[in-house]
Amino acid sequence: MVVPAIAKTVETETIDGITAPWYYIQQQEHDPFGRNEGDIYNVWIFGGYVKEFPVNEKHENPEELKKSVESIGLKFCQ
């Protein structure tokens, strides 16, 4: 899932040996059955556990994205 950042901190923080900024994003609850969309939340996420892509870059290959997500020990949800 590609989520555009609303804001990004100037200062960085180090967590688990990873130094990165924090991102403020708008996240919508996901219904895995596609019945309806859930509530929208504004949340901060640590940038060390996400991958930043240029605004115009699209991910044509979901398998590549899945491999990237799973390489850091997370579950890929499409």
Side-chain angles (χ1 to χ4, degrees):
M1 172 187 323
V2 176
V3 178
I6 297 169
K8 174 179 164 181
T9 60
V10 174
E11 294 185 18
T12 59
E13 189 167 342
T14 302
I15 298 175
D16 293 335
I18 302 167
T19 302
W22 286 82
Y23 293 91
Y24 191 62
I25 65 167
Q26 190 172 73
Q27 178 65 50
Q28 187 165 28
E29 283 184 325
H30 175 69
D31 177 2
F33 301 107
R35 293 175 296 208
N36 59 6
E37 296 296 335
D39 294 335
I40 295 175
Y41 298 94
N42 291 327
V43 297
W44 285 97
I45 59 171
F46 178 60
Y49 298 115
V50 297
K51 187 169 183 179
E52 185 175 341
F53 294 98
V55 173
N56 295 327
E57 184 176 335
K58 289 192 174 190
H59 302 285
E60 304 293 332
N61 185 348
E63 205 49 47
E64 178 185 323
L65 184 57
K66 178 180 179 182
K67 194 182 298 183
S68 176
V69 167
E70 291 176 346
S71 74
I72 60 170
L74 299 176
K75 183 179 177 185
F76 179 76
C77 297
Q78 193 171 6

